[in-house]
Amino acid sequence: MTNAVMDALVLHGPNAPFTLASIARPEPVAGQVLVRIKASSVNPLDLKIRSGNAAHAKHPFPAILGMDFAGTIEALGAGECGFAVGDDVYGLAGGVGGLQGSLAQFAAVDASLLAPKPSNLSMREAAALPLVFITAWEGLVDRAQVQARQKVLVLGAGGVGQMAIQIASAFGAEVFAVDTAAKGATIERLGATAIDREQTTPQEYVGDHTGGLGFDVVYDTVGGAALDTAFNVVRRFGHVVSCLGWSTHSLAPLSFRAATYSGVFTLLPMLTGEGRAHHGDIMREATRLVEAGKVVPFVDPRSFKLNAVADAHREIENRTAAGKIVIEITD
């Protein structure tokens, strides 16, 4: 394997064009597995890294992007890792912190970050799940400890919001989601009550759906003013979670409700090495819920190959994607 090579997309600097290159195939060390990557999804964070506007991702150039992937284990590093050659796996395992991303034919990744791919999903569908599912799970389950019969409000019905709706519903919560009217049908299809943010004020939907008491759990997936809204619509002793709580906010509304707040920073285990096995555990929960029919990914139906990643990025920039865009790496 020492002399083996692979195709990969390399980015040599901010806003530089992707370069398809033949580079050395990595070899897995102890605790790693070599994965033949079949599919890699594109996240908005990839675009920020590409433009040089994601210092928090700490991904130096030259870089191989791509965080989410699905593929098949090709080789094992030394030691017991719980997987075997030929296993189909998926996870969030690279593309930040100097870790090789998934826009390549192979990647040597930390086995603790991976889980068996759901048997009822294609590689494309599985690759769409890891980042958004982990982000939703960490907020709702790890931080807020969502429970049956709670009233959960999700602000924003994008990728993370759609996962949050499905996870909260799977736990037996009554779920509401705020977004534009265009997202209403998707929200309702996922089993939540849709709230049109352009037609209904926070005061109105708190009154309509909670009798003025507020929601037990509020998950903000938007940030900025949406997080300020979350502080005002949570009930007393409730819990607010945000995956984009990066601005300056007044805590007074939260404090006067004796409510609590948690932030979610999904990249932390990859950046620090701490908590990686928990991400693998979360992905096993994703597999369980997907195979039980309680969680489904939303994937853009168009096919993009490795040489068309720039086109895929443009679709996200132009907000024309109909679901998560997935790059097919190998057949």
Side-chain angles (χ1 to χ4, degrees):
M1 193 181 299
T2 303
N3 298 320
V5 296
M6 67 176 182
D7 289 337
L9 278 188
V10 181
L11 198 64
H12 290 282
N15 293 315
F18 286 106
T19 301
L20 185 61
S22 180
I23 64 174
R25 183 192 301 183
E27 295 188 37
V29 299
Q32 291 184 331
V33 295
L34 181 69
V35 178
R36 180 185 291 272
I37 299 171
K38 303 293 184 67
S40 171
S41 70
V42 182
N43 291 288
L45 179 55
D46 294 317
L47 278 66
K48 292 181 180 179
I49 295 173
R50 182 186 177 192
S51 65
N53 293 319
H56 63 288
K58 301 179 180 178
H59 202 41
F61 296 105
I64 297 175
L65 304 188
M67 295 178 283
D68 293 332
F69 74 90
T72 302
I73 292 181
E74 185 87 0
L76 307 175
E80 173 62 42
C81 69
F83 294 105
V85 172
D87 286 350
D88 290 336
V89 294
Y90 72 143
L92 172 70
V96 298
L99 301 174
Q100 184 206 304
S102 49
L103 293 180
Q105 290 179 307
F106 295 89
V109 302
D110 187 335
S112 65
L113 290 165
L114 305 180
K117 180 185 76 68
S119 59
N120 57 336
L121 293 187
S122 67
M123 289 288 183
R124 293 183 75 250
E125 292 168 327
L129 275 173
L131 176 64
V132 290
F133 187 93
I134 291 171
T135 304
W137 181 280
E138 284 191 335
L140 286 173
V141 182
D142 293 347
R143 308 290 193 273
Q145 299 178 343
V146 65
Q147 299 175 26
R149 294 180 296 280
Q150 285 185 322
K151 292 193 174 187
V152 174
L153 179 70
V154 178
L155 299 177
V160 174
Q162 291 170 10
M163 287 299 117
I165 291 168
Q166 294 180 82
I167 292 169
S169 297
F171 274 76
E174 184 181 3
V175 189
F176 306 82
V178 179
D179 210 305
T180 61
K183 290 286 185 69
T186 297
I187 291 168
E188 298 284 348
R189 186 166 68 250
L190 294 175
T193 298
I195 300 171
D196 183 348
R197 72 182 186 210
E198 296 169 343
Q199 298 295 325
T200 310
T201 67
Q203 184 177 12
E204 287 171 338
Y205 61 70
V206 167
D208 292 343
H209 300 298
T210 74
L213 295 177
F215 297 88
D216 298 290
V217 177
V218 183
Y219 197 144
D220 159 47
T221 71
V222 180
L227 182 51
D228 293 313
T229 296
F231 291 162
N232 282 284
V233 299
V234 68
R235 70 172 298 148
R236 291 173 185 166
F237 310 108
H239 198 108
V240 172
V241 180
S242 179
C243 57
L244 285 172
W246 299 349
S247 302
T248 300
H249 302 270
S250 170
L251 296 179
L254 192 73
S255 298
F256 288 141
R257 290 169 171 78
T260 52
Y261 168 78
S262 294
V264 174
F265 185 40
T266 314
L267 306 184
L268 206 58
M270 289 190 292
L271 296 177
T272 66
E274 184 177 357
R276 289 186 177 183
H278 184 53
H279 272 197
D281 291 340
I282 294 173
M283 292 313 303
R284 285 177 169 81
E285 292 293 338
T287 295
R288 178 181 64 83
L289 290 176
V290 169
E291 292 182 344
K294 294 184 177 180
V295 168
V296 295
F298 286 83
V299 181
D300 189 294
R302 292 170 294 178
S303 175
F304 291 86
K305 303 296 184 182
L306 195 56
N307 60 1
V309 172
D311 295 333
H313 278 211
R314 277 192 291 273
E315 295 295 331
I316 294 177
E317 287 174 337
N318 296 334
R319 299 183 180 273
T320 51
K324 183 68 76 73
I325 288 182
V326 178
I327 309 301
E328 296 174 57
I329 308 297
T330 57
D331 297 327

